[in-house]
Amino acid sequence: GAVVSQHPSRVICKSGTSVKIECRSLDFQATTMFWYRQFPKQSLMLMATSNEGSKATYEQGVEKDKFLINHASLTLSTLTVTSAHPEDSSFYICSAPTGGRNIQYFGAGTRLSVL
Amino acid sequence: GENVEQHPSTLSVQEGDSAVIKCTYSDSASNYFPWYKQELGKGPQLIIDIRSNVGEKKDQRIAVTLNKTAKHFSLHITETQPEDSAVYFCAASRVADSNYQLIWGAGTKLIIKP
């Protein structure tokens, strides 16, 4: 299957700092990517849809100024958690659909721990 | 909007036995149903999917069945092995234009007992 690379896999930061997470489609182009948040023992919660060359679409209740998304190229989307606080600690996962087949491939996830 | 329900939340089976996980969906326009396996600390991995024009699909020990009338689909794993232990998620999607959004089930923790 297609490969989606997500970095970093784990980040620990102090409260108030910003953290950037990268999501890359390695062997295909993705005009759309998705960012999810997952709490322990729960399902994936869609945060936003990243659109190449235009603004991201955020789900209800997700602060766009808190979770900045940039989709600057057809293979890279970034999620920046600004002024992170302990309640932002979570597992963040990105995904990208392959063109024409609508199959989503996921990154390995990023475990964010805010102290 | 679409809603996907998944059962059971936890399933424990003896190694070698079969495991069945069931999902129901509410939007009759949904036409794509993938199943993902998620191991601890990792991203979900697509293991099998089915589209609404097919009633059953099989890949070695894994099969998925779809009943469009009843709006439910199931994952079947035969001859279970310890490495099958993971959390499994079903999802539904109404593939139209460029909308790839998946609606997720709550997940099933599958435990394979040696």
Side-chain angles (χ1 to χ4, degrees):
Chain A
V3 178
V4 174
S5 176
Q6 184 174 343
H7 293 280
S9 59
R10 178 75 190 264
V11 59
I12 302 172
C13 68
K14 293 181 179 180
S15 184
T17 60
S18 293
V19 175
K20 179 185 283 188
I21 303 170
E22 293 189 349
C23 182
R24 295 179 183 272
S25 55
L26 296 186
D27 50 359
F28 65 100
Q29 294 182 335
T31 56
T32 300
M33 291 187 179
F34 296 98
W35 287 96
Y36 294 87
R37 183 172 181 175
Q38 187 177 34
F39 293 102
K41 299 183 180 180
Q42 293 191 22
S43 188
L44 285 78
M45 182 186 75
L46 181 64
M47 298 175 64
T49 301
S50 175
N51 303 301
E52 188 270 335
S54 64
K55 293 182 179 180
T57 305
Y58 290 82
E59 296 300 302
Q60 191 173 6
V62 178
E63 299 177 57
K64 61 179 180 180
D65 294 330
K66 173 74 172 177
F67 300 98
L68 299 179
I69 291 173
N70 184 278
H71 196 146
S73 77
L74 288 171
T75 59
L76 174 63
S77 175
T78 61
L79 168 68
T80 300
V81 183
T82 62
S83 187
H85 289 94
E87 58 265 30
D88 298 323
S89 298
S90 192
F91 193 54
Y92 294 87
I93 314 172
C94 69
S95 74
T98 59
R101 296 192 62 198
N102 306 315
I103 297 175
Q104 284 196 35
Y105 291 93
F106 284 79
T110 298
R111 172 73 60 191
L112 172 62
S113 299
V114 184
L115 305 178
Chain B
E2 173 69 286
N3 181 51
V4 176
E5 293 190 0
Q6 183 172 345
H7 299 281
S9 57
T10 304
L11 178 61
S12 183
V13 301
Q14 203 70 37
E15 181 180 351
D17 289 349
S18 297
V20 181
I21 302 171
K22 299 181 180 181
C23 288
T24 60
Y25 60 98
S26 60
D27 187 354
S28 57
S30 291
N31 54 12
Y32 175 63
F33 308 93
W35 284 90
Y36 286 85
K37 175 184 180 181
Q38 186 178 28
E39 297 177 341
L40 190 63
K42 298 183 179 180
Q45 178 185 14
L46 179 70
I47 55 172
I48 196 167
D49 58 8
I50 192 167
R51 298 181 187 270
S52 59
N53 59 345
V54 176
E56 184 175 358
K57 184 176 179 181
K58 191 174 182 179
D59 183 4
Q60 299 182 341
R61 296 187 297 109
I62 296 173
V64 56
T65 58
L66 171 65
N67 183 325
K68 288 170 53 180
T69 303
K71 288 190 284 188
H72 67 69
F73 56 111
S74 300
L75 176 71
H76 305 253
I77 306 175
T78 59
E79 300 173 22
T80 53
Q81 301 170 3
E83 53 264 36
D84 295 330
S85 294
V87 178
Y88 291 81
F89 292 97
C90 64
S93 177
R94 183 162 58 93
V95 177
D97 298 325
S98 60
N99 180 8
Y100 303 105
Q101 190 174 131
L102 293 172
I103 308 301
W104 295 85
T108 296
K109 183 176 183 179
L110 177 61
I111 300 168
I112 307 300
K113 297 180 291 185

